[in-house]
Every structure is written in structure tokens, then in C-alpha cells.
């Protein structure tokens, strides 16, 4: 019989080094294990009906994370694993109903991320050298600024909002998303290399091309 916890579960700021075994439990709303001393998520519920918070918890792995976070029908459910010590997103959820936050980690790529995100995707300040593994479709904004990218290879195919890739070391914009429904923010340093006309020749951009 499936076990269900109605409502929220908060294990926030309890100095935990491991989670209670809730791996056979469905939590109908939020699960929060933020601000602990965890290294992985073994024991976490496999399904969370709303948001899953595990940021600032010293994680080095997402092993044990829920496979599903949120609800596709009302675009709810955020997954927040920012400000940890992650070097990979493998083991993380493959369905997120809204936004995915993985910034301020020690990632080099985005392998292990969901293929589609129904909200925004935030991977800024993560030491990325590649966007390999990024979702193919992002329904909100995509933030990959403040990283160490030299190209846009691996970018999502379609972003239904704006694309933020400024403050990188870009020498190429090959791999730019095919469709950007908002603006694109490029590093000021590439303005002389890639004109607005050239950028638009590579991508269907409904908003502005901005260099900041």
C-alpha cells in the first residue's frame, strides 16, 4: 500500500547528516531539508507534490532525490539544490513541475538535469565549462551567466522566456538556442565579434539582443 503524508514535511536546520527513510512515501506538498549536513538525499520521498528544498546542505550528490517534483497540470513544484558542493546533477529529479535551481555549485556541465522544465532554469555561478545535459525545453528564463563557458554548445533548443549568458568567456556562440521568446543577454566583450544581425541569423529571437 502506498504511504502518503498529507501536507508539508520540514526537516530544516536540524544538523542532519542523513535523512530518515521516507523513500516509499509520497509527500503531497513541500519537502524541506535545507541547511543541514547532508552529503546525499538517500531516504528522500520518491514523489513530492509541490516544492523540494535541499539548498545549503553540503550535498555532494543528488542520489536519492525524488524522481518527480510538482505537478505538470498547474506548473507547480520547484527543485532547489543551489549552494551545495555538487559536481554533478545525476541522481536528481527527471520531472520538475516549475523551476530548477542549481546555481552556486561546482558543476562543469548539466548532465543529469531534466529534459524539460516548466519554469525557469538557474545554473549561474556554478563553474560551468559546458551546457551539455541542459534541458531541451525551458518554459521560463534560462540563467547560465557568471560561469566559465567559451561556447553555447549544449544550450536548450527552445527557451520560452529570456536567455542570460553574460559574464562568460565566450569565443563562439555556436549552439545558441534555436528559439528564444524573450531577450538574449550576451557578454559585452563579444559585441565586436558577433553583431546583432549575426546573432539573429542563428536564432529566432522575439526580444532584443543585449550586450552587458
Amino acid at each position: 500500500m502506498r504511504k502518503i503524508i498529507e501536507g508539508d514535511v520540514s526537516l530544516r536546520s536540524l544538523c542532519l547528516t542523513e535523512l530518515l527513510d521516507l523513500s516509499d512515501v509520497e509527500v503531497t506538498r513541500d519537502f524541506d531539508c535545507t541547511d543541514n549536513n547532508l552529503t546525499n538525499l538517500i531516504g528522500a520521498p520518491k514523489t513530492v507534490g509541490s516544492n523540494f528544498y535541499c539548498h545549503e546542505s553540503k550535498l555532494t550528490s543528488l542520489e536519492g532525490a525524488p524522481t518527480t517534483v510538482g505537478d505538470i497540470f498547474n506548473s507547480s513544484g520547484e527543485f532547489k539544490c543551489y549552494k551545495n558542493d555538487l559536481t554533478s546533477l545525476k541522481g536528481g529529479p527527471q520531472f520538475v513541475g516549475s523551476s530548477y535551481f542549481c546555481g552556486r555549485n561546482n558543476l562543469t556541465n548539466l548532465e543529469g538535469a531534466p529534459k524539460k522544465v516548466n519554469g525557469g532554469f538557474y545554473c549561474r555561478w556554478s563553474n560551468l565549462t559546458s551546457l551539455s545535459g541542459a534541458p531541451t525545453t525551458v518554459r521560463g528564463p534560462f540563467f547560465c551567466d557568471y560561469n566559465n563557458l567559451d561556447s553555447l554548445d549544449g544550450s536548450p533548443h527552445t527557451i520560452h522566456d529570456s536567455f542570460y549568458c553574460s559574464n562568460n568567456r565566450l569565443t563562439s556562440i555556436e549552439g545558441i538556442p534555436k528559439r528564444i521568446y524573450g531577450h538574449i543577454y550576451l557578454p559585452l566583450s563579444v559585441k565586436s565579434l558577433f553583431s546583432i544581425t549575426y546573432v539573429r541569423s542563428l536564432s529566432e529571437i522575439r526580444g532584443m539582443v543585449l550586450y552587458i
Side-chain angles (χ1 to χ4, degrees):
M1 180 183 296
R2 185 175 61 173
K3 300 175 184 177
I4 298 176
I5 296 178
E6 298 284 353
D8 302 330
V9 173
S10 179
L11 303 173
R12 188 183 184 104
S13 304
L14 296 178
C15 299
L16 297 176
T17 57
E18 59 183 24
L19 292 175
L20 303 173
D21 187 5
L22 299 174
S23 56
D24 62 346
V25 171
E26 176 183 343
V27 175
T28 62
R29 296 189 61 185
D30 295 351
F31 184 89
D32 187 352
C33 59
T34 299
D35 188 27
N36 280 293
N37 298 314
L38 305 170
T39 55
N40 59 55
L41 295 170
I42 293 173
K46 288 304 178 188
T47 302
V48 172
S50 191
N51 304 306
F52 188 97
Y53 302 126
C54 58
H55 48 288
E56 301 178 80
S57 287
K58 300 182 173 61
L59 293 172
T60 57
S61 169
L62 293 179
E63 182 184 3
T67 54
T68 300
V69 174
D71 184 347
I72 190 173
F73 297 108
N74 59 20
S75 296
S76 68
E78 295 180 340
F79 182 76
K80 294 187 176 183
C81 62
Y82 64 85
K83 282 192 179 181
N84 279 298
D85 297 316
L86 298 171
T87 57
S88 170
L89 298 179
K90 291 179 180 178
Q94 292 306 295
F95 171 82
V96 174
S98 182
S99 296
Y100 192 109
F101 299 80
C102 59
R104 294 187 181 273
N105 278 292
N106 295 310
L107 307 170
T108 54
N109 60 53
L110 297 172
E111 298 293 340
K115 295 303 180 188
K116 178 181 177 182
V117 173
N118 286 323
F121 192 93
Y122 303 80
C123 55
R124 59 199 325 191
W125 297 105
S126 286
N127 298 314
L128 292 172
T129 56
S130 169
L131 293 177
S132 174
T136 55
T137 302
V138 177
R139 293 284 178 184
F142 186 91
F143 286 83
C144 61
D145 46 341
Y146 297 98
N147 279 296
N148 299 315
L149 300 171
D150 58 18
S151 82
L152 298 177
D153 285 336
S155 293
H157 181 276
T158 303
I159 298 173
H160 290 253
D161 203 304
S162 294
F163 181 42
Y164 298 80
C165 55
S166 59
N167 294 94
N168 276 291
R169 303 171 180 176
L170 296 180
T171 57
S172 168
I173 57 171
E174 294 299 324
I176 187 173
K178 296 300 182 185
R179 296 185 182 87
I180 300 171
Y181 292 176
H183 310 311
I184 181 170
Y185 295 83
L186 291 161
L188 184 60
S189 60
V190 305
K191 186 174 183 180
S192 61
L193 300 175
F194 310 119
S195 67
I196 292 175
T197 301
Y198 176 68
V199 174
R200 289 190 181 279
S201 74
L202 300 178
S203 176
E204 176 190 333
I205 301 169
R206 296 187 182 180
M208 295 185 291
V209 177
L210 301 167
Y211 303 89
I212 61 173

